[in-house]
């Protein structure tokens, strides 16, 4: 294993220059969402997140949809790939808010894909539902105008997170990552102290605490993107008090043409 890979594997979630305190605000514990031995608790978290995402005014899906559609505002018929779609609420909102968008809705969890397929998205004329791994996207280069990975990157360790950057910017012209904001370490510590007593009784708080400990800082996201490709461009769209939003892209690749062959008897060039 190269030293470069080792640096990524051991990188703190607060980035390579994270403070002493920030480096300790991390955990190896899994969220209920990432476990297969707590089906009831996992279901409660999924349902709570989906209900929160669908709220009319403060819904996460609506806010994320605005960010995504702003990014493809110059494309008449945008082709959007949603990675880690969960129950598909964001994709539903994208199709509702844009009359011409075509959305490929994917998740690595077969149970989520089955649930999406059985719902409205499964029969929507502008939606395609597929099981897909965000670290190994089954699509040709440049198949989409935008790939979006919302509120999921913190679930992945650095070596897998950097694969999301590599694959997302390969399969799409741009990759948008929307994820939890990592607070300054002193604020983070105080929020955690207040929330920890609730983690035993409220499944959503349990997962929220772990998510906050695993969230990547902007500096860490830059390192992940540069590790995927040193030439990758990273731009932040983060708004005040909102989630961390980063858009990554790579330089346009030269178009490959078939080699020219001289006609028989013609002089070479």
């Amino acid at each position: 294993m190269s030293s470069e890979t080792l640096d990524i594997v051991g990188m703190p979630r607060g980035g390579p220059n994270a403070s002493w305190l920030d480096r300790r605000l991390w955990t190896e514990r899994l969220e209920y969402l990432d476990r297969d031995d707590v089906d009831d608790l996992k279901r409660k978290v999924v349902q709570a997140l989906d209900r929160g995402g669908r709220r009319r005014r403060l819904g996460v899906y609506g806010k994320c949809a605005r960010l995504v559609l702003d990014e493809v505002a110059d494309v008449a018929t945008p082709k959007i790939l949603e990675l880690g779609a969960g129950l598909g609420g964001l994709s539903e909102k994208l199709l509702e808010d844009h009359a011409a968008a075509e959305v490929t809705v994917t998740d690595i969890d077969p149970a989520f894909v089955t649930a999406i397929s059985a719902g409205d998205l499964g029969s929507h004329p502008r939606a395609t539902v597929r099981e897909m791994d965000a670290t190994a996207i089954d699509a040709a280069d440049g198949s989409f105008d935008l790939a979006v990975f919302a509120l999921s990157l913190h679930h992945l360790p650095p070596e897998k997170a950097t694969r999301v950057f590599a694959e997302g910017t390969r399969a799409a012209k741009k990759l948008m990552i929307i994820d939890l904001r990592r607070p300054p370490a002193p604020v983070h510590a105080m929020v955690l102290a207040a929330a920890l007593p609730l983690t035993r009784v409220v499944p959503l708080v349990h997962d929220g605490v772990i998510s906050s400990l695993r969230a990547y800082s902007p500096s860490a996201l830059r390192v992940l993107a540069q590790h995927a490709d040193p030439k990758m461009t990273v731009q932040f769209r983060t708004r005040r008090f909102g989630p961390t939003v980063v858009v990554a892209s790579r330089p346009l690749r030269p178009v490959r043409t078939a080699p020219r062959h001289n006609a028989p008897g013609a002089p070479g060039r």
Side-chain angles (χ1 to χ4, degrees):
M1 185 178 291
S2 69
S3 59
E4 184 179 15
T5 302
L6 285 172
D7 288 342
I8 286 293
V9 171
M11 183 186 69
R13 297 298 174 104
N17 297 317
S19 67
W20 175 90
L21 177 58
D22 198 8
R23 289 169 185 265
R24 280 150 184 80
L25 296 176
W26 183 80
T27 182
E28 292 184 348
R29 292 190 65 176
L30 296 177
E31 299 177 38
Y32 293 138
L33 278 177
D34 296 322
R35 292 169 57 179
D36 296 322
D37 60 334
V38 286
D39 289 347
D40 186 55
L41 292 171
K42 183 174 182 177
R43 177 180 54 79
K44 289 180 179 178
V45 172
V46 170
Q47 291 175 345
L49 289 172
D50 193 56
R51 284 195 302 270
R54 294 177 187 276
R55 288 176 182 169
R56 185 175 297 276
R57 291 188 178 181
L58 301 177
V60 174
Y61 297 149
K63 293 179 179 179
C64 290
R66 285 194 292 273
L67 292 167
V68 171
L69 295 179
D70 284 349
E71 200 61 40
V72 292
D74 59 340
V75 183
T77 309
K79 298 183 185 300
I80 301 170
L81 169 66
E82 186 185 2
L83 302 163
L87 294 179
L90 172 55
S91 287
E92 287 183 13
K93 190 64 177 169
L94 291 172
L95 292 166
E96 177 186 328
D97 291 352
H98 196 298
E102 299 176 9
V103 181
T104 299
V105 195
T106 73
D107 199 279
I108 194 173
D109 189 327
F112 287 156
V113 175
T114 299
I116 295 171
S117 298
D120 293 340
L121 285 174
S123 58
H124 197 289
R126 290 184 284 118
T128 301
V129 182
R130 295 186 58 192
E131 183 178 333
M132 193 178 292
D133 185 345
T135 68
I137 298 172
D138 183 14
D141 294 3
S143 297
F144 303 94
D145 296 296
L146 181 68
V148 57
F149 196 44
L151 304 175
S152 295
L153 192 74
H154 63 273
H155 290 279
L156 303 180
E159 60 270 26
K160 287 190 175 182
T162 197
R163 290 297 306 157
V164 174
F165 277 95
E167 282 290 276
T169 56
R170 177 195 63 77
K173 296 174 184 176
K174 295 186 287 185
L175 167 70
M176 173 177 280
I177 299 284
I178 305 172
D179 211 355
L180 302 177
R181 186 194 293 252
R182 189 175 184 88
V187 175
H188 198 178
M190 289 188 292
V191 172
L192 289 170
L196 280 173
L198 298 174
T199 58
R200 293 181 178 274
V201 293
V202 183
L204 186 61
V205 175
H206 171 276
D207 274 22
V209 164
I210 293 177
S211 293
S212 74
L213 290 169
R214 289 177 165 242
Y216 290 100
S217 71
S219 64
L221 293 169
R222 288 187 183 278
V223 171
L224 295 173
Q226 296 302 310
H227 184 78
D229 185 341
K231 295 181 179 180
M232 190 173 293
T233 299
V234 175
Q235 297 178 315
F236 285 89
R237 306 280 195 262
T238 305
R239 299 172 182 175
R240 191 175 183 183
F241 304 124
T244 295
V245 183
V246 60
V247 176
S249 60
R250 294 200 236 183
L252 292 176
R253 299 174 182 81
V255 177
R256 294 182 179 179
T257 57
R260 296 180 61 181
H261 299 284
N262 294 324
R269 293 187 179 182

